[in-house]
């Protein structure tokens, strides 16, 4: 096992189809069915039958540019104590959302332990970032910190054994260790 803490560690999870993502999926499917019907009705009413050929192309464009938002992937990477959180849409485009250092964290603790979940409620974060695949993930952890502009922030993530070791290495006094699946 590599104990070099200066190397980069990356972890990616795929968003499960639940909550708002399930509603988005249903909504987009309904849009994909209704859109060509409306398009063809308008073409029929205006008697511009040549527009029927555009239905297939515009439907394909609609699906191509919207379906990627239904099932994003969340990636966090740690390099020399700096955490970078990105969202990957459709395995094509990456959007960096957050960067912070582990050393600045006020708490790194499990969400599944009631005592630490209550401490997070008391902390009352203003800004929330989530890299959880599901709201009921058994390895859900959070990192509470203050942003550069003084806002209380929390970053939810699915913890792995290696990530917890990195957190303990860079911020041992504020890291709570528990047993995790990976």
């Amino acid at each position: 096992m590599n104990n070099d803490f200066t190397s980069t560690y990356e972890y990616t999870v795929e968003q499960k189809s639940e909550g708002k993502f399930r509603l988005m999926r249903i909504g987009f499917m309904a849009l994909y069915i209704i859109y060509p019907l409306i398009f063809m009705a308008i073409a029929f009413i205006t008697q511009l039958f040549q527009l029927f050929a555009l239905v297939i192309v515009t439907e394909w464009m609609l699906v191509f540019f919207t379906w990627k938002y239904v099932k994003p992937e969340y990636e966090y990477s740690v390099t020399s104590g700096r955490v970078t959180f990105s969202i990957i849409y459709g395995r094509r485009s990456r959007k960096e959302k957050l960067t912070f250092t582990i050393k600045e964290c006020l708490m790194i603790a499990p969400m599944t332990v009631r005592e630490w979940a209550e401490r997070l409620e008391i902390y009352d974060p203003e800004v929330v970032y989530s890299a959880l695949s599901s709201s009921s993930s058994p390895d859900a952890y959070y990192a509470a910190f203050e942003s550069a502009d003084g806002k209380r922030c929390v970053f939810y993530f699915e913890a792995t054994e290696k990530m917890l070791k990195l957190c303990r290495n860079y911020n041992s006094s504020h890291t709570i260790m528990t047993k995790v699946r990976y």
Side-chain angles (χ1 to χ4, degrees), residues 71-132:
K71 198 162 187 173
E73 293 178 338
Y74 304 118
E75 176 189 82
Y76 65 85
S77 61
V78 181
T79 306
S80 299
R82 185 173 258 333
V83 177
T84 303
F85 167 55
S86 302
I87 300 177
I88 303 167
Y89 295 105
R91 296 187 176 154
R92 292 187 297 256
S93 61
R94 172 187 311 271
K95 186 172 185 178
E96 189 175 303
K97 291 294 216 175
L98 171 70
T99 301
F100 66 93
T101 58
I102 295 172
K103 189 188 301 183
E104 295 171 350
C105 291
L106 305 171
M107 291 182 281
I108 301 172
M111 284 296 301
T112 54
V113 177
R114 186 174 177 192
E115 171 189 353
W116 295 103
E118 288 173 356
R119 288 189 186 194
L120 181 61
E121 285 181 30
I122 293 169
Y123 181 68
D124 190 30
E126 299 171 70
V127 183
V128 176
Y129 301 95
S130 179
L132 296 174

Side-chain angles (χ1 to χ4, degrees), residues 2 16 21 26 28-29 31 41 48 55 72 77 82 91 109 112 119 121 124 127-128 138 140 146 150:
N2 185 5
K16 292 184 179 171
F21 293 99
I26 292 168
F28 280 140
M29 285 182 184
L31 176 67
L48 295 172
V55 171
S77 61
R82 185 173 258 333
R91 296 187 176 154
T112 54
R119 288 189 186 194
E121 285 181 30
D124 190 30
V127 183
V128 176
E146 285 193 13

Side-chain angles (χ1 to χ4, degrees), residues 37-51:
L37 296 175
I38 292 173
F39 194 96
M40 289 189 296
I42 291 172
F44 186 76
I45 290 170
T46 60
Q47 296 189 358
L48 295 172
F49 300 111
Q50 300 85 350
L51 292 179

Side-chain angles (χ1 to χ4, degrees), residues 99-178:
T99 301
F100 66 93
T101 58
I102 295 172
K103 189 188 301 183
E104 295 171 350
C105 291
L106 305 171
M107 291 182 281
I108 301 172
M111 284 296 301
T112 54
V113 177
R114 186 174 177 192
E115 171 189 353
W116 295 103
E118 288 173 356
R119 288 189 186 194
L120 181 61
E121 285 181 30
I122 293 169
Y123 181 68
D124 190 30
E126 299 171 70
V127 183
V128 176
Y129 301 95
S130 179
L132 296 174
S133 63
S134 171
S135 59
S136 61
S137 173
D139 295 329
Y141 259 70
Y142 68 87
F145 60 95
E146 285 193 13
S147 65
D149 57 350
K151 290 186 178 179
R152 293 182 309 279
C153 301
V154 66
F155 172 60
Y156 296 111
F157 63 98
E158 292 197 18
T160 61
E161 189 175 327
K162 178 135 185 190
M163 178 61 174
L164 292 177
K165 285 180 181 178
L166 286 168
C167 290
R168 187 178 62 198
N169 182 55
Y170 288 107
N171 192 345
S172 61
S173 62
H174 295 110
T175 301
I176 306 302
M177 301 286 289
T178 60

Side-chain angles (χ1 to χ4, degrees), residues 15-16 18-25 69-70 72 74:
Q15 174 65 51
K16 292 184 179 171
E18 65 181 24
K20 76 175 188 176
F21 293 99
R22 179 172 291 189
L23 291 175
M24 281 176 57
R25 181 176 285 230
Y69 295 107
V70 171
Y74 304 118

Side-chain angles (χ1 to χ4, degrees), residues 35 51-64:
Y35 170 76
L51 292 179
F52 283 124
L54 289 177
V55 171
I56 296 169
V57 174
T58 57
E59 176 81 8
W60 175 83
M61 289 174 56
L62 182 65
V63 171
F64 182 79

